[in-house]
Amino acid sequence: MLEADMTPVIETRAVNKLFTSRSGPFDADKVLTAVADVSIALEAGETLGIAGETGCGKSTLARIMMGLIPPSSGQVLYRGTALNEMTGKDLADFRKSVQMIFQDPFSSLNPRMRIGDIIGEPLVINKMAYGTALKERVASLMEQVGLQPELASRYPHEFSGGQRQRIGIARALAAGPKTLIADEPVSALDLSIQAQIINLLMELKQDHDLALVFIAHDLSAVRHVSDRIAIMYLGRIVELGSRDAVFSSFRHPYTEALISAIPRVSPSGQSGRIVLSGDVPSPLAIPAGCPFRSRCLYAKERCKQELPPLEEKSSGHFAACHYSNEIFS
């Protein structure tokens, strides 16, 4: 009996991404830290949720995992092979096998292309279907995402936001990928449509046996779809664990604050929400020590001096906090 391949589908190892910024033509360059020392793995068939406030580096990490932008340092591996070492057929296979669903369904579709051509473009580029077979495949993809095939000749502006996101999902599925990276796929949609798109993604994941990276700042959505969850703050992962562990036994003060902000009905009438003081520090000037210390309710002198590593606090549950065992024991 053959053993199952335990190699992660996508893995990042100590990935950093820095950008330079200049406020004026005579000013010195400033370094913006978008992603800092992120090591994470996506297993075959699982859904990995990545959550955090706007600007914490979620989308940059997604683009690095997708191979759209290179990391400043560190490595991204696909089934054990580094992306920067891939050439020819290996790189083409990666491009087909890993597809992305973008956040904005309005700007991610070419307004000059008919949606049938948009959905079928990956099939043409990868030389997977032509002529009648291409039309049949496009029609099948449209039906899978809840669109009528006879609408294939229309343009993106003739569709609602939710319908456009369905078009983007159909395009992502066209080449037969095994991994989808969904970068805030519902944040630009009305609440009534968000649930439809989330349920569609879950159905397609099951039907096509997909691995899924689901990125959002809405923790309720992340909890609904994910097997494991990574919490990001200022470019770093500060907590990582199973969905139940992160929500029921969180080990980082930032996760505690995020979960407390989820709307809920309390018999006492008290929300129990933890209101963080101050603003998120600028990624151009991340404070020394723990990046969360300036807003943390439990910060001590050590937090100003030492950067807490992402350590395993219990089986499969990691947190980057010096005092998590004392605070959350």
Side-chain angles (χ1 to χ4, degrees), residues 10-300:
I10 298 178
E11 182 181 5
T12 69
R13 294 181 180 174
V15 161
N16 293 273
K17 185 61 181 179
L18 308 177
F19 297 99
T20 56
S21 173
R22 182 181 296 178
S23 56
F26 304 107
D27 294 327
D29 287 343
K30 296 180 180 179
V31 177
L32 184 150
T33 303
V35 175
D37 196 26
V38 170
S39 296
I40 198 168
L42 174 70
E43 306 296 337
E46 81 162 336
T47 298
L48 173 65
I50 302 178
E53 293 172 283
T54 299
C56 71
K58 305 186 299 296
S59 294
T60 301
L61 178 60
R63 282 160 171 74
I64 292 171
M65 295 174 75
M66 183 70 197
L68 294 179
I69 57 176
S72 300
S73 61
Q75 278 191 318
V76 181
L77 295 88
Y78 174 69
R79 298 194 180 278
T81 302
L83 296 192
N84 61 351
E85 297 175 359
M86 287 185 178
T87 57
K89 183 179 183 299
D90 289 341
L91 189 57
D93 288 344
F94 168 75
R95 295 295 185 199
K96 285 193 294 184
S97 298
V98 183
Q99 293 288 314
M100 194 163 189
I101 301 167
F102 295 93
Q103 176 178 358
D104 187 354
F106 297 92
S107 63
S108 62
L109 303 178
N110 188 334
R112 297 186 178 183
M113 291 179 67
R114 300 179 190 274
I115 68 161
D117 295 329
I118 290 173
I119 295 170
E121 189 175 30
L123 295 167
V124 175
I125 290 173
N126 290 291
K127 301 178 181 179
M128 299 173 68
Y130 302 95
T132 302
L134 176 61
K135 291 182 179 180
E136 291 175 351
R137 178 63 177 151
V138 168
S140 174
L141 288 164
M142 292 182 68
E143 288 177 341
Q144 288 180 51
V145 299
L147 294 172
Q148 297 175 349
E150 52 266 30
L151 301 177
S153 61
R154 296 191 178 183
Y155 290 90
H157 73 268
E158 299 180 69
F159 295 86
S160 67
Q163 289 174 319
R164 293 188 201 192
Q165 196 59 290
R166 290 174 187 268
I167 295 167
I169 294 171
R171 176 180 59 186
L173 289 174
K178 284 299 180 182
T179 302
L180 289 181
I181 298 178
D183 181 18
E184 304 218 30
V186 297
S187 64
L189 306 177
D190 293 339
L191 283 175
S192 60
I193 306 299
Q194 290 184 9
Q196 296 177 21
I197 298 300
I198 289 172
N199 289 335
L200 173 63
L201 285 172
M202 294 181 71
E203 290 172 9
L204 292 171
K205 177 188 179 298
Q206 187 72 27
D207 293 345
H208 294 271
D209 191 25
L210 299 169
L212 174 65
V213 177
F214 185 86
I215 297 170
H217 58 260
D218 182 350
L219 273 181
S220 297
V222 173
R223 182 179 191 177
H224 184 62
V225 306
S226 302
D227 299 309
R228 287 190 302 141
I229 296 173
I231 304 294
M232 289 189 71
Y233 185 81
L234 276 181
R236 293 184 179 274
I237 293 178
V238 296
E239 185 155 4
L240 172 66
S242 69
R243 172 185 59 193
D244 293 339
V246 169
F247 274 85
S248 302
S249 307
F250 43 78
R251 303 298 295 272
H252 195 279
Y254 180 58
T255 308
E256 178 187 32
L258 288 180
I259 292 175
S260 77
I262 298 175
R264 57 174 60 87
V265 177
S266 171
S268 65
Q270 297 178 346
S271 67
R273 178 172 182 176
I274 298 172
V275 180
L276 297 175
S277 60
D279 297 323
V280 180
S282 169
L284 290 168
I286 296 176
C290 176
F292 185 61
R293 66 173 174 78
S294 62
R295 306 174 73 199
C296 182
L297 300 174
Y298 312 103
K300 299 181 181 180

